[in-house]
Amino acid sequence: MTSPHRVQRPLALVTGASSGIGRELARVAAYDGYDLMVVARRGDRLTALASELTSSGATTESVVLDLAQPTGARAVEEAVAGRPVEVLVNDAGIGGHGRFATERQLATDLAMIQLNVTTLVELTGLLLPGMLERQRGGILNVASIAGYLPGPGQAVYNASKAFVKSFSQALGEETRNTGVRVTTLCPGPVATAFATVAGYPQPTSRNPLMRVASASAVAAAGWQGLAAGKPVVVPDLLTRIGLQSLRVLPWQVIARRSQPRNPSSH
């Protein structure tokens, strides 16, 4: 952590910042003039990121936590210690594939819900009142195009991202005209380590309407969307076009075509 004895910049809190989209969002925030609090399980990667961001003038504090634990959100609140958080980025998340309750352990899926849903809601609930009181702030929740459709073989993952999308859109309406912006970032396939960790094959570009994006491009689109006050950001134009088919296809057809081959980055 760099010296605090200077004019403070606004603070952005980024979860899941040790890799992928979360790391890129931390970089974007730092170069946009924010100090950072970065949260993830892998302390060595957070240390390396903090060292990198120092060169941009950002004071960066690392908080090593497993947000899949029920105490995670409260631990982050303690680390914040009452400081005003200008932007909250809920990026931490995990995926996984296999048939629910037969090929997957129930405890594993409950931990996924804790991380992807419960911690996100709790952390948002802890920090939103301060933003509303100050009449300014931003919340960027990372969902996925998986939240647009049911996902046999990754039923809990898709459902968790559908929750994040619905929750964020509703929250955006509740905070309309308050000075607080809420944006949902819904990427398609992204070239990150997410697929490997989740046990998926690496995403490919076989589908011309579902191109694999870089984490930096997705992060930039999400950050720009938040600044512009967009409720939902689907970064790739062709992906947005592909999603239009969901309006006309029966959900059973969508479910049968949904496979965990090209998961989103989050």
Side-chain angles (χ1 to χ4, degrees):
M1 187 172 176
T2 58
S3 172
H5 300 295
R6 59 170 178 75
V7 177
Q8 288 189 340
R9 311 192 319 175
L11 178 64
L13 193 161
V14 182
T15 70
S18 61
S19 64
I21 297 171
R23 180 175 60 192
E24 295 302 325
L25 281 165
R27 288 169 171 163
V28 170
Y31 285 101
D32 198 29
Y34 286 76
D35 285 337
L36 271 299
M37 176 175 287
V38 291
V39 185
R41 291 181 297 111
R42 293 174 287 188
D44 56 339
R45 295 196 176 193
L46 289 184
T47 299
L49 177 63
S51 177
E52 172 194 332
L53 297 184
T54 296
S55 64
S56 71
T59 294
T60 305
E61 181 177 350
S62 301
V63 180
V64 181
L65 278 175
D66 181 1
L67 291 174
Q69 298 300 315
T71 57
R74 290 287 178 178
V76 173
E77 182 189 34
E78 291 179 7
V80 170
R83 288 171 287 177
V85 174
E86 188 75 15
V87 174
L88 168 63
V89 177
N90 283 308
D91 174 74
I94 194 169
H97 68 93
R99 292 178 181 271
F100 175 71
T102 57
E103 297 176 350
R104 292 182 57 79
Q105 294 293 320
L106 180 58
T108 301
D109 280 335
L110 291 175
M112 185 189 299
I113 293 170
Q114 175 69 47
L115 178 59
N116 293 7
V117 174
T118 306
T119 296
L120 179 148
V121 171
E122 186 175 5
L123 195 52
T124 300
L126 290 171
L127 297 181
L128 176 61
M131 295 181 182
L132 293 172
E133 183 178 350
R134 296 188 298 273
Q135 298 184 353
R136 68 176 188 275
I139 298 170
L140 180 61
N141 290 331
V142 180
S144 166
I145 60 166
Y148 283 85
L149 65 163
Q154 50 185 42
V156 172
Y157 174 75
N158 283 39
S160 74
K161 293 306 180 180
F163 177 93
V164 172
K165 179 175 174 291
S166 177
F167 170 71
S168 302
Q169 288 179 278
L171 190 60
E173 286 300 310
E174 291 180 0
T175 57
R176 182 189 292 272
N177 298 323
T178 66
V180 178
R181 294 153 288 129
V182 182
T183 296
T184 315
L185 177 59
C186 297
V190 183
T192 70
F194 179 86
T196 301
V197 173
Y200 299 116
Q202 282 297 320
T204 66
S205 298
R206 293 175 185 172
N207 186 341
L209 294 181
M210 206 65 69
R211 297 184 299 188
V212 179
S214 69
S216 58
V218 170
W223 191 260
Q224 291 165 8
L226 178 65
K230 292 183 178 180
V232 178
V233 174
V234 179
D236 183 69
L237 174 60
L238 289 180
T239 301
R240 293 197 294 273
I241 294 172
L243 287 175
Q244 297 307 308
S245 66
L246 302 182
R247 296 184 177 184
V248 296
L249 290 175
W251 73 266
Q252 294 95 333
V253 174
I254 296 170
R256 288 166 190 161
R257 291 184 178 181
S258 301
Q259 299 294 333
R261 296 173 186 166
N262 291 323
S264 82
S265 70
H266 246 277

